[in-house]
């Protein structure tokens, strides 16, 4: 890759039209769209050694998507949709990684990606109307546009357990799993954390380890994934109908073609409700949450009907009633934390080699050389697996050292929580685009589709600017404030902000509490974005004049 050293019409030279950060689903599509369809010079920086993002880093046993694979994939190329064969209903990490490598090959993307290179600072130079980007490899380049494809779940939470460095065994993190297979045979293994990753890794480790101890702070509402081999007949059907399936997916808030949701759990009688919940439970995926009743996330009583059904299912699956009780979530609504989907999770606690430790009753004191110490005792371990989650949504952007106009850092701008217009741009940070940024539908939508929507919007925006010789775009302070109020108002009309999780930043000590996802639904959100663009980027300031310094 060579820098383009582009002399723009105003006579200021930049190395690239666009620098993209990240080579996951977002960065890969951004590169293809901006380079191959808009003809821009694009350079991508990726901290990992290969493409894949989430699916490069999270290689732990059991890692897989929980949106159906035929939906959890790009829709931008029908040729790609037709040629790729998914082998499972919900693809595992190796298969998704293969898929993204195939995409990188097919569209010849690697030649413009610098791997093993982390962006450590991105500073907006007002005198040049350009971003200056520095990496941990000593590179320094400039670009007119900076596109962050840094992901929502790519900055692991820094573990804050006292004594972790003194542990005499091995420590693994699900979010930074080693490339080579880890052999846990004969080992006493402890897993800390029972969020989505913990719930995927625990059944796998129980089969490999001599003994597995699970340290749980908050029990989760977990429903079945319903994975299995892809039915060839269904695969044929999808390929013949992909256009319609994608259209229907885009019309749904979750980005999947679910279509049997009923208005109210409370209007249905107990028998009918049970039948509906049973059916959705059997079907798996997010059908139980998203395709049963539409008032589950807005009405406490409706939510409780689903919550109680899940508790009953836990009682049915876990043989020891005392253990079942510990696994039961009570004091927050179903869906207010990211609902994990499981394969054999609850039944794993029936195994003789698995122990559940309830950290609410016996809090974790720290790590000692021989294992994990709680208020009750020391659990002797050979390996510790941290499934402790991410500094989600804002973490990856804040860790990139972004400074906008007048040297104001993103951290300063977001000291009370993220402020954005549409989750796509930030006031005072011209020409910085954040793919699936905070306050957009992002993680509560099917991410590849959310990413495509954003990249398409960004590409249209850049094309618009270029055609009119406009140098910069940034949202007005007012539009950012309005978007924040709108986002909060919708969130507060639901039960979601009542949970304490990475949705709200509560999992990171000191992080300002804010609900970081747009809950108005992707179809409504897309229309708002499209209308703003159609109205000449209403609410944005377009900089026609170049200030020279
Ligand atoms: C275990 C797991 C399962 C998931 N399952 C689903 C699912 O079923 N459905 C769903 O919709 N979503 C799921 N997600 C969310 C998932 O993150 C997205 O679906 C999707 O992979 C995001 O793609 P991305 O390109 O935006 O971000 P990522 O895949 O996170 O890629 C971002 C990349 O940016 C790089 N990067 C970040 N900062 C820098 C920097 N400063 N310099 C250089 N490089 C940098 C990172 O190394 C990373 O490779 C899951 C997430 C996890 C962790």
């Amino acid at each position: 890759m060579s820098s383009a050293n582009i002399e723009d019409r105003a006579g200021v030279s930049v190395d690239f039209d666009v620098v993209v950060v990240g080579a996951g689903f977002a960065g890969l599509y951004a590169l293809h769209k901006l380079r191959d369809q808009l003809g821009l010079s694009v350079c991508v920086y990726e901290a990992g050694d290969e493409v894949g993002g989430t699916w490069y880093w999270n290689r732990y046993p059991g890692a897989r998507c929980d949106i159906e694979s035929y939906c959890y994939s790009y829709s931008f190329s029908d040729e790609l949709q037709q040629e790729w064969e998914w082998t499972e209903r919900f693809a595992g990490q190796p298969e998704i990684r293969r898929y993204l490598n195939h995409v990188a090959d097919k569209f010849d993307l690697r030649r413009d990606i610098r791997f093993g290179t982390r962006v450590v600072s991105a500073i907006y130079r007002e005198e040049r109307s350009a971003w200056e980007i520095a990496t941990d490899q000593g590179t320094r380049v400039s670009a007119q546009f900076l596109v962050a494809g840094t992901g929502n779940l790519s900055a692991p939470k820094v573990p804050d357990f006292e004594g972790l460095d003194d542990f005499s065994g091995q420590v693994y993190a699900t979010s930074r799993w080693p490339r080579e297979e880890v052999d846990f045979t004969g080992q006493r293994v402890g897993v800390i954390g029972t969020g989505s990753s913990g719930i995927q890794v625990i059944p796998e480790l129980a089969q490999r380890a001599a003994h597995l101890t699970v340290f749980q702070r908050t029990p989760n509402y977990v429903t079945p994934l319903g994975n299995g081999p892809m039915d060839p007949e269904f695969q044929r059907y999808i390929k013949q109908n992909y256009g319609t399936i994608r259209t229907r997916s885009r019309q749904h808030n979750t980005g999947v073609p679910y279509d049997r949701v009923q208005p109210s759990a409370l209007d249905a009688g107990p028998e009918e409700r049970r039948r509906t919940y049973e059916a959705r439970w059997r079907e798996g995926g997010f059908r139980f949450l998203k395709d049963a009743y539409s008032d589950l996330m807005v009405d406490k009583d409706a939510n409780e009907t689903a919550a109680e059904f899940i508790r009953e299912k836990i009682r049915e699956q876990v043989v020891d009633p005392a253990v079942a009780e510990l696994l039961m979530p009570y004091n927050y609504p179903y869906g207010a934390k990211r609902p994990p989907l499981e394969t054999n999770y609850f039944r794993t606690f029936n195994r003789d080699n698995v122990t559940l430790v309830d950290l609410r009753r016996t809090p974790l004191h720290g790590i000692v050389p021989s294992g994990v110490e709680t208020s009750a005792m020391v659990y002797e371990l050979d390996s510790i697996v941290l499934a402790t989650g991410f500094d989600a949504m804002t973490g990856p952007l804040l860790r990139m050292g972004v400074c906008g106009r007048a040297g104001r850092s993103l951290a300063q701008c977001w000291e009370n929580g993220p402020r954005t217009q549409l989750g796509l741009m930030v006031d005072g940070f011209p020409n910085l685009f954040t793919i699936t940024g905070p306050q957009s539908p992002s993680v509560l939508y099917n991410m590849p589709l959310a990413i495509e929507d954003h990249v398409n919007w960004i590409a249209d925006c850049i094309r618009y600017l270029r055609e009119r010789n406009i140098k910069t775009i940034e949202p007005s302070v007012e539009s950012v404030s309005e978007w924040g109020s709108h986002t909060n108002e919708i969130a507060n009309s639901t039960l979601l902000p009542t949970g304490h999780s990475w949705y709200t930043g509560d999992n990171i000590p000191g992080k300002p509490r804010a609900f970081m996802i747009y809950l108005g639904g992707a179809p409504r959100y897309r229309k708002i974005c499209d209308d703003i663009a159609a109205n000449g980027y209403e609410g944005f300031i377009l900089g026609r004049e170049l200030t020279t310094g």
Side-chain angles (χ1 to χ4, degrees):
M1 171 188 10
S2 61
S3 73
N5 232 325
I6 302 142
E7 182 133 320
D8 65 27
R9 284 174 214 163
V12 169
S13 88
V14 285
D15 298 317
F16 296 100
D17 292 321
V18 188
V19 159
V20 173
V21 190
F25 268 101
L28 293 178
Y29 180 50
L31 171 57
H32 171 61
K33 181 86 190 175
L34 299 173
R35 184 193 70 183
D36 302 336
Q37 292 182 15
L38 261 69
L40 302 177
S41 69
V42 183
C43 168
V44 180
Y45 290 112
E46 166 55 58
D49 293 333
E50 292 169 22
V51 301
T54 289
W55 307 103
Y56 165 82
W57 296 106
N58 294 262
R59 297 163 188 238
Y60 59 85
R64 62 178 66 249
C65 62
D66 47 22
I67 285 198
E68 289 82 346
S69 318
Y70 73 93
C71 298
Y72 186 73
S73 48
Y74 291 120
S75 71
F76 72 83
S77 158
D78 193 47
E79 197 178 286
L80 173 65
Q81 293 187 143
Q82 295 300 328
E83 72 196 9
W84 187 260
E85 299 276 318
W86 293 106
T87 65
E88 288 182 281
R89 276 189 73 199
F90 299 90
Q93 174 270 336
E95 187 168 10
I96 305 174
R97 213 177 119 229
R98 272 201 304 281
Y99 169 75
L100 290 172
N101 271 288
H102 171 76
V103 170
D105 290 338
K106 182 175 175 69
F107 298 100
D108 191 16
L109 300 178
R110 281 192 193 80
R111 68 184 154 94
D112 287 310
I113 307 174
R114 285 267 178 268
F115 292 106
T117 307
R118 180 170 290 280
V119 171
V120 290
S121 85
I123 296 172
Y124 185 68
R125 298 292 181 201
E126 294 192 55
E127 67 281 9
R128 306 175 62 195
S129 302
W131 284 92
E132 196 173 279
I133 291 111
T135 75
D136 62 354
Q137 303 300 309
T139 332
R140 198 172 279 272
V141 296
S142 58
Q144 187 185 0
F145 298 99
L146 175 60
V147 176
T150 43
N152 301 115
L153 298 169
S154 64
K157 178 180 173 180
V158 179
D160 50 2
F161 303 117
E162 216 168 287
L164 186 61
D165 291 343
D166 303 330
F167 179 58
S168 60
Q170 293 295 316
V171 179
Y172 302 96
T174 50
S175 54
R176 288 290 180 269
W177 202 259
R179 277 161 182 253
E180 52 297 338
E181 200 170 326
V182 184
D183 184 5
F184 290 106
T185 313
Q187 288 198 23
R188 297 159 304 171
V189 179
V191 176
I192 304 180
T194 53
S196 297
S197 297
I199 281 160
Q200 289 187 333
V201 82
I202 284 165
E204 297 290 329
L205 296 182
Q207 292 173 47
R208 295 164 163 82
H211 194 90
L212 184 72
T213 307
V214 176
F215 297 91
Q216 170 193 270
R217 195 174 52 190
T218 313
N220 253 305
Y221 293 100
V222 191
T223 60
L225 180 64
N227 193 26
M230 190 74 173
D231 173 9
E233 194 57 42
F234 185 57
Q235 184 123 258
R236 260 194 301 281
Y237 164 82
I238 289 160
K239 292 194 178 190
Q240 281 161 8
N241 296 281
Y242 238 137
T244 320
I245 289 169
R246 295 297 195 178
T247 304
R248 282 176 45 216
S249 300
R250 285 196 150 86
Q251 286 160 354
H252 192 280
N253 285 350
T254 313
V256 283
Y258 295 165
D259 56 5
R260 280 172 296 150
V261 73
Q262 294 162 46
S264 169
L266 300 177
D267 289 349
E271 280 316 307
E272 184 195 333
R273 200 161 54 220
R274 172 168 295 280
R275 273 199 303 279
T276 304
Y277 284 149
E278 276 293 352
R280 303 296 181 272
W281 185 271
R282 270 198 311 276
E283 286 161 331
F286 281 111
R287 285 204 184 262
F288 188 86
L289 177 73
K290 294 292 192 169
D291 207 25
Y293 295 107
S294 62
D295 55 354
L296 293 189
M297 292 322 304
V298 290
D299 186 305
K300 245 178 137 193
D301 296 332
N303 188 283
E304 182 55 25
T305 64
E308 188 47 33
F309 184 89
I310 297 172
R311 290 185 205 113
E312 271 178 39
K313 289 289 186 188
I314 299 173
R315 278 184 207 105
E316 275 174 25
Q317 294 173 81
V318 180
V319 173
D320 182 339
V323 175
E325 197 53 37
L326 294 184
L327 288 164
M328 255 177 251
Y330 278 112
N331 55 358
Y332 64 95
Y334 168 49
K337 290 161 75 73
R338 209 273 187 190
L341 303 186
E342 60 94 42
T343 305
N344 272 328
Y345 176 65
F346 290 117
R347 290 179 203 282
T348 292
F349 293 93
N350 297 334
R351 295 174 66 106
D352 292 338
N353 71 333
V354 176
T355 305
L356 177 64
V357 177
D358 181 7
L359 297 178
R360 291 165 304 177
R361 290 187 193 181
T362 55
L364 197 148
H365 277 183
I367 313 293
V368 293
S370 62
V372 170
E373 184 178 17
T374 69
S375 61
M377 60 181 281
V378 171
Y379 293 86
E380 309 264 325
L381 300 169
D382 302 303
S383 293
I384 295 175
V385 172
L386 301 174
T388 40
F390 298 91
D391 181 355
M393 316 298 294
T394 53
L397 294 163
L398 292 173
R399 289 182 190 186
M400 201 165 65
V402 182
C403 275
R405 282 196 192 280
R408 188 157 173 259
S409 72
L410 193 60
Q412 285 169 320
C413 180
W414 286 2
E415 65 187 351
N416 297 317
R419 292 170 43 81
T420 75
Q421 167 63 320
L422 305 170
L424 267 163
M425 298 199 84
V426 185
D427 54 311
F429 296 78
N431 296 2
L432 166 67
F433 296 99
T434 53
I435 304 175
T436 68
Q439 301 181 328
S440 72
S442 66
V443 290
L444 289 177
Y445 187 47
N446 172 7
M447 282 290 277
L449 299 191
I451 285 164
E452 288 183 341
D453 285 353
H454 266 187
V455 171
N456 293 342
W457 193 93
I458 293 165
D460 287 346
C461 177
I462 292 178
R463 188 188 286 118
Y464 180 95
L465 301 181
R466 295 236 145 180
E467 282 170 0
R468 289 163 181 75
N469 200 20
I470 297 170
K471 202 76 201 146
T472 60
I473 181 166
E474 64 198 287
S476 67
V477 176
E478 295 76 30
S479 69
V480 166
S481 299
E482 274 168 32
W483 186 251
S485 306
H486 174 61
T487 302
N488 287 333
E489 195 183 324
I490 294 178
N492 290 333
S493 69
T494 75
L495 302 171
L496 274 91
T498 63
H500 296 274
S501 73
W502 57 262
Y503 286 172
T504 51
D506 284 305
N507 66 324
I508 304 293
K511 189 165 173 170
R513 187 167 209 275
F515 194 81
M516 294 185 282
I517 306 155
Y518 179 74
L519 292 181
R524 177 177 172 187
Y525 172 82
R526 197 178 307 113
K527 179 160 183 350
I528 296 172
C529 292
D530 289 349
D531 288 350
I532 284 175
N535 290 332
Y537 296 90
E538 200 178 2
F540 287 86
I541 303 160
L542 306 183
R544 288 172 194 282
E545 301 299 323
L546 179 72
T547 344
T548 43

